[in-house]
Amino acid sequence: MGNLKNAVISFLAPFPSIIFYLTFLHQLKTETSSLSPLWLWCSNHPIALANIFFFFNVNILFWVIGTIQSSHWMIDLYWTVIPVLLVHYYGTHPYGFSNQWRSTIVILLTWIWSIRLTHSYFRREKWQWGAKEDWRFCDMRPQYGKHWWWASFFSVYVSQQVFLIGICLPMYAIHSVEKTWGMWDVLGTIVCLSGIVIAYYADTQLNKFVTRNNTLKQLGSPAIPTLETGLWRYSRHPNYFGEQLWWWGLALFGWNVGHGWTFVGALVNSLTLAYVTILVERRMLKQEKRANAYKMYQKTTSVWIPWFKLSPTEATKDKTT
């Protein structure tokens, strides 16, 4: 019953923004002579309007739902949905114009990225809606104690607005310049697709590893301490590397149309993910049964960018020289 309830909540959650935006587009068609100040402002400020949608529909509404349910699970799921909503928003906004090829390719790429990440999310959650919230929020909850109910508004939601709106800025840039499709667009497409493929295989290999360890646990056998096969042989976080390729590939599109400043979103996201990587590895080292194996894994394997693995002897030698 809870799974169905959360599925319905997730489906209905973005409707306030969608209904308002569709009403806005309808008014543009009907009010041909003069627009009201509200619709005129919406027409002239696409980025500001996107932020308003996010603030009221995600920050406030999602926060209220999460506070009532005592679990801020929905923002994790909507990381896969909001970029799709934004790329269609910028693509249909009356203020925008673009090269048809570039717009179509980027929209298609965003859908492929979203489907990949959504599938990974539900596979990880065993196909449940809102089964649990992100482990980082779980760690924050006891730290804030009785203040978590209001602190979560800023640490979970307002911070996500900065990340998501910022990282999707190339989608705005793409739909604000009608530049001819060129080789840089081809390169951006290749980088984006490479990131999606790498992240998919990395997540799939990780899922098989976790599933196998769960099976071993049920059989009473010792678990495998670290995943060191496939892409994980050459990188400790190949899923993070693939995800970063996607966002930097998208930023290439923005740079190509003359909006190099849109790199700031990908840069902030990479810095944030670097911090998350530190948190994840600290978490791994706190697990007594895998700490020693993971320390050796750190010494022999690249952090993000896939690279040749060092032997334990080489790793020890490098550390002593």
Side-chain angles (χ1 to χ4, degrees), residues 60-88:
I60 294 180
L61 181 59
F62 283 25
W63 173 72
V64 170
I65 294 171
T67 301
I68 293 173
Q69 292 189 322
S70 297
S71 175
H72 299 290
W73 60 271
M74 199 154 60
I75 188 63
D76 199 20
L77 170 62
Y78 263 85
W79 251 94
T80 74
V81 178
I82 290 173
V84 173
L85 295 175
L86 282 173
V87 75
H88 282 287

Side-chain angles (χ1 to χ4, degrees), residues 226 228 233 292-293 295-301 308-320:
T226 57
E228 299 187 53
R233 175 178 174 80
N292 290 333
K295 286 179 182 177
M296 181 55 67
Y297 185 49
Q298 287 178 312
K299 294 175 183 177
T300 60
T301 312
F308 298 104
K309 195 177 185 73
L310 295 175
S311 68
T313 304
E314 290 175 320
T316 305
K317 183 178 179 181
D318 287 347
K319 186 176 180 180
T320 56

Side-chain angles (χ1 to χ4, degrees), residues 11-316:
F11 179 75
L12 295 178
F15 269 48
S17 291
I18 293 173
I19 291 172
F20 183 93
Y21 184 61
L22 292 177
T23 302
F24 161 58
L25 293 180
H26 176 72
Q27 292 299 319
L28 288 183
K29 294 179 180 179
T30 56
E31 296 183 18
T32 54
S33 57
S34 62
L35 286 174
S36 68
L38 172 63
W39 305 129
L40 186 62
W41 186 91
C42 291
S43 180
N44 293 328
H45 301 85
I47 295 180
L49 181 58
N51 275 279
I52 290 174
F53 283 150
F54 200 111
F55 183 81
F56 286 101
N57 203 155
V58 178
N59 293 355
I60 294 180
L61 181 59
F62 283 25
W63 173 72
V64 170
I65 294 171
T67 301
I68 293 173
Q69 292 189 322
S70 297
S71 175
H72 299 290
W73 60 271
M74 199 154 60
I75 188 63
D76 199 20
L77 170 62
Y78 263 85
W79 251 94
T80 74
V81 178
I82 290 173
V84 173
L85 295 175
L86 282 173
V87 75
H88 282 287
Y89 163 77
Y90 289 128
T92 58
H93 194 280
Y95 185 86
F97 56 97
S98 62
N99 174 272
Q100 189 61 46
W101 268 105
R102 184 177 298 110
S103 175
T104 302
I105 293 297
V106 169
I107 289 173
L108 180 60
L109 287 171
T110 305
W111 270 99
I112 295 172
W113 167 85
S114 177
I115 291 169
R116 195 285 304 173
L117 191 57
T118 302
H119 173 262
S120 178
Y121 169 84
F122 279 110
R123 180 175 57 184
R124 186 190 69 205
E125 301 300 312
K126 302 186 186 305
W127 311 104
Q128 298 292 308
W129 296 76
K132 61 181 183 293
E133 66 180 355
D134 190 288
W135 63 268
R136 288 161 291 188
F137 305 154
C138 293
D139 288 350
M140 289 180 188
R141 190 179 293 274
Q143 293 174 11
Y144 285 98
K146 64 180 181 179
H147 300 292
W148 176 243
W149 72 271
W150 64 264
S152 60
F153 177 77
F154 298 97
S155 57
V156 175
Y157 297 101
V158 174
S159 61
Q160 302 290 347
Q161 178 169 354
V162 175
F163 293 144
L164 272 167
I165 294 293
I167 210 169
C168 291
L169 284 173
M171 297 174 180
Y172 162 77
I174 290 160
H175 293 101
S176 64
V177 177
E178 200 170 1
K179 183 180 179 180
T180 305
W181 175 272
M183 287 304 300
W184 282 106
D185 296 296
V186 175
L187 179 61
T189 301
I190 293 171
V191 173
C192 285
L193 284 174
S194 298
I196 293 170
V197 171
I198 290 171
Y200 169 77
Y201 279 105
D203 280 342
T204 298
Q205 291 164 2
L206 178 61
N207 179 258
K208 289 180 178 178
F209 171 77
V210 172
T211 302
R212 183 182 179 189
N213 268 349
N214 288 338
T215 302
L216 290 173
K217 184 178 180 181
Q218 293 172 1
L219 295 174
S221 302
I224 303 169
T226 57
L227 171 58
E228 299 187 53
T229 58
L231 292 172
W232 299 80
R233 175 178 174 80
Y234 306 100
S235 168
R236 302 203 299 269
H237 303 278
N239 50 347
Y240 291 176
F241 174 68
E243 188 69 6
Q244 290 310 292
L245 276 183
W246 153 255
W247 291 115
W248 282 100
L250 189 66
L252 273 176
F253 284 102
W255 174 82
N256 182 45
V257 296
H259 289 277
W261 58 274
T262 58
F263 269 108
V264 68
L267 177 61
V268 171
N269 189 67
S270 292
L271 294 174
T272 302
L273 198 55
Y275 178 66
V276 171
T277 300
I278 295 172
L279 295 180
V280 169
E281 298 210 339
R282 285 177 181 173
R283 200 164 180 245
M284 297 291 288
L285 293 173
K286 288 180 181 178
Q287 300 177 29
E288 186 177 348
K289 293 182 178 180
R290 66 197 319 177
N292 290 333
Y294 200 81
K295 286 179 182 177
M296 181 55 67
Y297 185 49
Q298 287 178 312
K299 294 175 183 177
T300 60
T301 312
S302 172
V303 182
W304 272 5
I305 301 173
W307 194 247
F308 298 104
K309 195 177 185 73
L310 295 175
S311 68
T313 304
E314 290 175 320
T316 305

